């Protein structure tokens, strides 16, 4: 994965749909927006998609099917507390996404690899959002 792709992920706008309507944006290396504090508490959270595996555009129907499979997988995780719809927006791309509260990094890492995602955004409690590289090829783990 090249640095320009990592920069694209790092500078994207990760929007979460709020329960009462509207959206709030998460940004990598920034504090979690206060509107999400009650939902998160001290739990793990992640913003992940199944769209466009390996950052390669796929047909809309294929992306929708993969996203439904990801949603089902997140619901089956025993630590999942909440799932909210999301949209990742970066430059010329938009991807349906999911904001999930509760699962640990190992669970999300496994799903990111299963759905062939290069990276996802995550955090713990009210801390800063972090970009996590999920490819099984180096670099892997926390993006510096």
């Amino acid at each position: 994965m090249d640095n320009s792709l990592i920069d694209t992920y790092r500078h994207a706008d990760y929007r979460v749909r709020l329960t009462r309507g509207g959206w709030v944006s998460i940004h990598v290396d920034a504090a979690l927006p206060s509107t999400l504090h009650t939902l998160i508490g001290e739990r793990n959270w992640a913003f992940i998609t199944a769209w466009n595996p390996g950052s390669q555009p796929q047909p809309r129907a294929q992306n929708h099917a993969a996203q439904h499979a990801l949603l089902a997988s997140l619901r089956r995780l025993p630590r999942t507390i909440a799932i909210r719809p999301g949209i990742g927006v970066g430059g010329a791309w938009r991807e349906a996404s999911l904001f999930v509260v509760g699962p640990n990094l190992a669970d999300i890492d496994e799903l990111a690899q299963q759905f062939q995602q290069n990276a996802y955004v995550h955090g713990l409690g009210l801390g800063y959002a972090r970009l996590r590289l999920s490819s099984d090829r180096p670099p892997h783990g926390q993006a510096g």
Side-chain angles (χ1 to χ4, degrees), residues 59-96:
R60 191 171 190 81
Q62 187 173 332
N63 281 329
H64 281 292
Q67 193 75 351
H68 284 290
L70 174 60
L71 176 59
S73 294
L74 289 169
R75 285 179 173 156
R76 284 192 297 272
L77 293 175
R79 292 181 184 91
T80 297
I81 303 297
I83 302 172
R84 302 293 313 143
I87 300 172
V89 180
W93 60 268
R94 295 173 69 90
E95 294 179 336

Side-chain angles (χ1 to χ4, degrees), residues 80-128:
T80 297
I81 303 297
I83 302 172
R84 302 293 313 143
I87 300 172
V89 180
W93 60 268
R94 295 173 69 90
E95 294 179 336
S97 301
L98 297 166
F99 179 76
V100 60
V101 178
N104 61 34
L105 279 178
D107 290 335
I108 300 299
D109 280 347
E110 187 175 312
L111 289 175
Q113 288 183 12
Q114 177 184 340
F115 289 93
Q116 300 173 26
Q117 296 300 304
N118 289 330
Y120 63 90
V121 176
H122 75 97
L124 175 61
L126 308 181
Y128 280 43

Side-chain angles (χ1 to χ4, degrees), residues 7 9 12 19 23 26 29 35 66 75 80 93 109 134 138:
D7 284 344
Y9 297 150
T19 305
W23 298 86
I26 296 172
D29 297 331
T35 51
R75 285 179 173 156
T80 297
W93 60 268
D109 280 347
S134 53

